[in-house]
Amino acid sequence: MSAGGDEIQQEFAEAQERWRQASLAHRMAPPDGGFSVRLRELADAARAEAVVCRKADGAGFEWPPHRSAGQQPYELQSGTARRGPEGLWQRFDAAVAELNRAGAGTNLLEVAGAHELLADVAGELAAEIERQELASGVLGAGRRQRRSA
């Protein structure tokens, strides 16, 4: 394997760790105004996964198939008083199902596409929930989340 392959494996490991940390933040989350911030980080982590999956595919890697890691963290599960528009949550649930489906195969481009889908809808949810948090005072204006340029 080339030095480029080693670099991709390192990037992949870093993206996987970022994804793990973003998911863990939802599992351990208190019911607070940081929900939109956690969703934004989940979206960013999913986008990083998509980027490295596309890069790895170009270098000849394939996705190691696996089953879903289990249920989503409680605050992301359907039926748990999730804040935000129900239509966006339905799209989120469909994106999670697509990621689970793609992750059971070996096609890195399908996994990348599923991560991008999840990143898009999680980002939309984060923005909508942030608006709600700011309007209700749950998230103070001084704590407004920062977005990447």
Side-chain angles (χ1 to χ4, degrees):
M1 190 167 298
S2 69
D6 291 341
E7 181 181 313
I8 289 171
Q9 286 185 318
Q10 179 62 35
E11 287 180 43
F12 194 75
E14 290 168 4
Q16 290 276 290
E17 179 59 18
R18 184 174 182 185
W19 177 258
R20 191 184 75 72
Q21 291 295 327
S23 295
L24 183 62
H26 286 282
R27 272 190 203 101
M28 307 300 284
D32 64 7
F35 188 38
S36 62
V37 175
R38 289 188 298 276
L39 276 170
R40 173 71 57 204
E41 179 54 29
L42 186 72
D44 292 347
R47 190 141 339 267
E49 285 274 348
V51 167
V52 75
C53 283
R54 290 190 182 286
K55 194 180 281 190
D57 180 74
F61 288 90
E62 68 177 24
W63 179 259
H66 62 281
R67 294 179 193 217
S68 161
Q71 273 192 327
Q72 297 178 61
Y74 181 78
E75 75 174 351
L76 299 178
Q77 292 178 22
S78 179
T80 61
R82 302 183 289 194
R83 289 179 279 162
E86 182 57 32
L88 279 178
W89 280 113
Q90 289 172 356
R91 288 180 46 215
F92 179 88
D93 293 339
V96 168
E98 175 58 17
L99 182 58
N100 288 338
R101 185 206 61 76
T106 60
N107 187 318
L108 273 164
L109 294 179
E110 285 185 13
V111 174
H115 274 105
E116 287 166 345
L117 181 64
L118 184 62
D120 290 344
V121 72
E124 289 179 49
L125 272 166
E128 181 58 36
I129 293 168
E130 178 188 32
R131 280 190 284 280
Q132 291 175 0
E133 289 173 343
L134 287 168
S136 71
V138 170
L139 182 67
R143 288 184 47 207
R144 185 181 179 117
Q145 65 190 8
R146 299 283 181 192
R147 294 194 176 108
S148 303

